[in-house]
Amino acid sequence: MTTDLPLVNRYLTAFDAALIQLAPAERAEVVAEIRQHIADATAAGKPIDDVLRSLGPVEALARAYQLELLVSPRPNAPARPRSDRWLKVIGLLAIGSLPTFIIVVTLGAIGLSFSLSGVAVVIAGIADSVGALPWWMTSNVQPWVAIVLGVALTILGLLASWATVAYLRFVVRVVRRVVPPRPAAAS
Amino acid sequence: MGTLETGDWSSQLKRGVLELCILQLLREESSYGYEIVTTLDALGPLAAGENTVYPLLRRLKADGMLETFLRESPSGPPRQYYRLTPDGRKRLTALGKEWQAMASAVDQCLHKGDAK
């Protein structure tokens, strides 16, 4: 039987794989019908190469089916299931959790430590300028340099803290948009 | 593509008409894919590739216009045949009327000014 040719089987296997978007029962019938077409055409005396060329590349043939069966609106098409939204949540977690962790830890640490140490340096600078610093804490840094440095550190720290809070707010907004509302609140 | 090329225009025209012709082919007796493709091929301008006819058959089935059944074939496994459903018959009548009206209107349009 001509349909047992490896060439035909290869074509049909590839075609079946390309029909991944169709329902399994539909897919099986479609592949069976194309198998039948090949058998009919070769039985009518057409060379197998011509028959397959006329059917065209499997991707194009599968796309033609999907355009007719999936793109044109079906009556009674089922509504998008809620599980779709949960998939989005999982996707969001997969993509967003590592960057969020890194950004929050880094920016948060910079914000906290810079602002605290900035304030401490300013106090130390002032104390040094009036000579109130014990000898083991003094250095050859001028007091005004310490004050300027401390103010700069504090500003950087506050900026980083502000950025951390802004980023967290953004994350909350995104998560709220994606997470399905509770059934009671959804109505 | 040049504006004198009619390929795109006729393929769009054919898309709609093909549905009517497939329903009409199946009006009297049921048929199977290869037979439908070769019958359309023999009609010249209506010839459509397998990659148009077969997907269209499946859509007409999904829309409830056609139904399939298996029938023993003289050679090999049983064949999948298509036949009209009652809805398909109604649609054929409706599309047929629409086509007649459209064809005569287009015909009048093309001959306007001829006879004067």
Side-chain angles (χ1 to χ4, degrees):
Chain A
M1 179 104 193
T2 35
T3 44
D4 292 334
L5 282 171
L7 186 65
V8 173
N9 283 332
R10 247 199 333 270
Y11 185 88
L12 289 172
T13 306
F15 178 52
D16 184 47
L19 286 174
I20 185 120
Q21 290 184 56
L22 297 191
E26 176 78 5
R27 191 168 158 183
E29 277 192 34
V30 164
V31 174
E33 186 163 59
I34 296 301
R35 183 187 292 279
Q36 181 190 303
H37 172 89
I38 296 171
D40 284 338
T42 48
K46 290 189 183 153
I48 184 65
D49 286 338
D50 289 359
V51 174
L52 294 185
R53 197 175 311 120
S54 181
L55 281 170
V58 288
E59 297 81 14
L61 189 57
R63 200 159 51 240
Y65 273 99
Q66 278 154 4
L67 280 175
E68 283 289 2
L69 295 170
L70 301 174
V71 175
S72 53
R74 299 253 71 71
N76 311 324
R80 251 172 143 233
R82 274 173 66 85
S83 58
D84 253 33
R85 305 196 64 181
W86 283 112
L87 268 180
K88 268 193 186 170
V89 173
I90 293 169
L92 190 69
L93 283 175
I95 297 168
S97 47
L98 186 61
T100 299
F101 179 74
I102 293 171
I103 289 171
V104 169
V105 166
T106 316
L107 273 185
I110 290 174
L112 199 66
S113 59
F114 274 34
S115 17
L116 286 181
S117 58
V119 171
V121 169
V122 170
I123 291 170
I126 292 168
D128 193 21
S129 65
V130 296
L133 220 55
W135 63 268
W136 50 268
M137 276 180 77
T138 52
S139 65
N140 43 14
V141 176
Q142 294 294 314
W144 67 267
V145 174
I147 292 170
V148 169
L149 197 72
V151 169
L153 276 176
T154 311
I155 290 172
L156 270 178
L158 291 178
L159 274 177
S161 307
W162 173 80
T164 312
V165 171
Y167 179 79
L168 282 175
R169 282 200 174 147
F170 164 75
V171 168
V172 168
R173 258 209 319 279
V174 170
V175 170
R176 278 218 182 122
R177 205 167 55 222
V178 171
V179 171
R182 280 157 204 262
S187 69
Chain B
M1 187 186 272
T3 43
L4 292 177
E5 198 73 54
T6 60
D8 195 41
W9 185 76
S10 52
S11 78
Q12 287 198 29
L13 181 64
K14 195 156 62 181
R15 248 185 88 77
V17 178
L18 209 52
E19 180 177 338
L20 169 60
C21 289
I22 287 176
L23 293 176
Q24 173 68 28
L25 285 180
L26 294 168
R27 194 176 68 133
E28 298 303 334
E29 54 185 339
S30 47
S31 182
Y32 55 95
Y34 184 68
E35 197 174 63
I36 296 170
V37 169
T38 46
T39 307
L40 290 169
D41 268 351
L43 290 173
L46 272 175
E50 294 92 318
N51 63 3
T52 303
V53 177
Y54 281 107
L56 183 54
L57 284 170
R58 297 310 295 187
R59 180 168 67 78
L60 289 172
K61 188 195 174 203
D63 287 346
M65 302 297 139
L66 302 180
E67 58 190 3
T68 53
F69 62 99
L70 292 177
R71 185 186 279 174
E72 292 304 320
S73 84
S75 62
R79 277 212 185 86
Q80 182 168 254
Y81 274 71
Y82 290 90
R83 68 176 159 225
L84 281 190
T85 62
D87 275 353
R89 214 162 277 281
K90 275 186 221 152
R91 183 155 174 83
L92 171 60
T93 311
L95 290 184
K97 276 187 190 151
E98 192 125 336
W99 171 254
Q100 296 288 359
M102 181 65 81
S104 72
V106 171
D107 213 41
Q108 275 181 35
C109 203
L110 288 177
H111 291 99
K112 221 166 167 80
D114 272 7
K116 278 184 188 167

